[in-house]
Amino acid sequence: MGKWSHRPTKVKIEVRNCDLGRGVFCTKPIAPEELVEFCPYVKTTHEKIPSPLNDYIFSLTDPDMFKRSTDDSEEYKERVKPVMLMLGFGAMYNHSDRPNLSWEFFCKNPLTDDVKEQYIIFRAQRHIMPNDELTISYGDPYWAERPHLSKEDL
């Protein structure tokens, strides 16, 4: 297990029904900068993710990945694009234009093959009260890659 695998946070969170289907909510107050979750992820490629999970993946950028192939078509690049499938609550955080969580890679190289280093750290950006939904910003590329979804519907 990773460096932080035996350091649980004091934050208590749970999944509940909400207007968007399901969301993650806190059950106790969370202070700014407080650690909410060390979220492991699985690094894979877009083509290996079943379509129902496509809206739950995070994109990764690997500038050298296309040098390993003679196929330079856009279709091929899309299929082999590296992605992260979040475990834990990571895939359950809904989007907000005013998110209350920030996230960062635990390691310097998110493309590492070392599973001990494959974590995303989620922290509170401001005070979060009990029963508040925990949200992140999906970023503009998320919406650009998913024309069937709309931020305005949130």
Side-chain angles (χ1 to χ4, degrees):
M1 298 288 304
K3 178 178 178 183
W4 301 101
S5 61
H6 300 293
R7 295 184 64 182
T9 69
K10 296 178 183 179
V11 173
K12 300 296 182 194
I13 54 181
E14 64 186 18
V15 175
R16 296 183 192 162
N17 291 331
C18 66
D19 292 341
L20 298 172
R22 289 188 283 184
V24 181
F25 294 79
C26 66
T27 60
K28 295 184 177 183
I30 302 174
E33 297 299 316
E34 187 170 353
L35 175 68
V36 173
E37 181 179 17
F38 281 96
C39 184
Y41 63 88
V42 176
K43 186 182 71 163
T44 186
T45 59
H46 199 268
E47 70 182 345
K48 293 180 181 175
I49 299 291
S51 62
L53 296 177
N54 281 335
D55 293 335
Y56 297 94
I57 59 175
F58 285 53
S59 296
L60 287 170
T61 303
D62 180 356
D64 297 322
M65 74 178 191
F66 301 121
K67 294 178 183 174
R68 297 189 287 267
S69 171
T70 57
D71 185 348
D72 63 354
S73 70
E74 289 303 313
E75 179 186 344
Y76 175 78
K77 289 178 182 180
E78 182 63 25
R79 280 195 336 265
V80 300
K81 180 169 52 175
V83 295
M84 294 182 294
L85 179 59
M86 290 292 183
L87 305 175
F89 290 104
M92 301 292 300
Y93 296 126
N94 285 319
H95 169 80
S96 173
D97 286 334
R98 292 197 65 243
N100 52 22
L101 297 182
S102 62
W103 61 273
E104 63 186 270
F105 287 106
F106 168 70
C107 61
K108 292 183 177 151
N109 177 10
L111 296 164
T112 181
D113 288 324
D114 184 354
V115 296
K116 295 176 191 168
E117 298 289 319
Q118 294 177 347
Y119 285 87
I120 298 290
I121 299 170
F122 291 92
R123 291 188 185 277
Q125 289 189 341
R126 58 181 177 273
H127 285 285
I128 305 172
M129 298 306 295
N131 299 314
D132 283 353
E133 183 175 8
L134 303 177
T135 58
I136 61 174
S137 172
Y138 292 175
D140 292 335
Y142 177 90
W143 302 105
E145 293 172 1
R146 293 164 177 85
H148 64 285
L149 298 176
S150 170
K151 265 199 308 191
E152 287 72 35
D153 294 337
L154 298 179

